[in-house]
Amino acid sequence: MSFWLISMALVAATAFFFVERDRVAGKWKTSLTVSGLVTLIAAVHYFYMRDVWVQTGTSPTEFRYIDWLLTVPLLMIEFYLILSAVAKVPSGVFWRLLLGSIAMLGFGFLGETGMMNPTVAFFPSMLGWGFIVWEIFKGEASQINAGLSNVHVQKAYKWMLLCVTVGWSIYPIGYFVGYMGGGADPVTLNVVYNLADFVNKIGFGVIIWAAAVADSESSKA
Ligand SMILES: *C/C=C(C)/C=C/C=C(C)/C=C/C1=C(C)CCCC1(C)C
């Protein structure tokens, strides 16, 4: 059921971001396109994941990680894009965020599929996440953001930061409970991951959309 609801929400969000693209200034259009791509890619994966779930009753771990491996880097590009809309940003910012994402997801996958002991895989995966959080909290990305004079971008940055710290924390909690805390049932694990995706893909896009619309309106005035 949650697979189905989230598929529909993702499809609706995709349509919304693509249509709203027309409403914002040129420098924001790519950000909205990327938001729409994130929800589109996830929607397609959710259709497949639901099939796996309905037909086998097992967690669609492979599809989930393919989805994450495509969409998390796109979300990281968003940090680069919103800062680039108003400032000059070195590409190292993006590469570091990408590196952190790959470490986080790579070890998570090894742990969930049993190719690595899940408890052992948890720690390097957490380090990857920590590396991302450090970059946007204290690293170059945060310094660029602090130096901006655009309130809309700064507001979006603050919310995106909250998403990556608080919103993303749902995933390792789900993993921890599912694989290390004596083992939760797959239903709980999937509902937790599905809810987290809803917040962190659609919510993240809405943050960017809100900043893009506010900034476009204020520069018109
Ligand atoms: C749209 C999909 C998103 C935003 C997925 C995010 C996934 C994570 C933040 C996963 C994190 C994990 C850890 C930090 C440790 C345990 C293993 C993971 C992969 C669940």
Side-chain angles (χ1 to χ4, degrees), residues 119 173-184:
T119 309
I173 292 171
Y175 178 102
F176 185 86
V177 174
Y179 296 95
M180 295 154 73

Side-chain angles (χ1 to χ4, degrees), residues 38 65 67-68 71-72 75 104-105 108-109 112 122 125-126 129 168 171-172 175 193 197 200-201:
V38 167
Y65 272 85
D67 170 30
W68 287 356
T71 52
V72 172
L75 295 174
M104 175 180 86
L105 297 173
F109 182 74
E112 290 205 40
F122 183 73
S125 180
M126 287 295 278
W129 180 36
W168 282 22
Y171 298 97
Y175 178 102
Y193 279 168
D197 276 354
N200 293 308
K201 291 186 165 69

Side-chain angles (χ1 to χ4, degrees), residues 6-7 9-18 32-46 67 71 74-75 197-198 200-206:
I6 288 168
S7 311
L10 288 166
V11 169
T14 305
F16 179 77
F17 292 137
F18 284 157
L32 285 199
T33 304
V34 173
S35 291
L37 287 178
V38 167
T39 50
L40 176 66
I41 292 170
V44 174
H45 282 83
Y46 264 82
D67 170 30
T71 52
L74 286 173
L75 295 174
D197 276 354
F198 179 82
N200 293 308
K201 291 186 165 69
I202 299 179
F204 202 89
V206 168

Side-chain angles (χ1 to χ4, degrees), residues 78-124:
E78 294 281 33
F79 274 101
Y80 180 79
L81 286 176
I82 66 149
L83 293 176
S84 297
V86 292
K88 181 136 184 45
V89 187
S91 62
V93 168
F94 167 69
W95 290 114
R96 282 192 297 276
L97 293 174
L98 183 69
L99 193 76
S101 310
I102 291 173
M104 175 180 86
L105 297 173
F107 283 107
F109 182 74
L110 293 176
E112 290 205 40
T113 52
M115 286 191 255
M116 213 174 143
N117 178 306
T119 309
V120 176
F122 183 73
F123 295 99

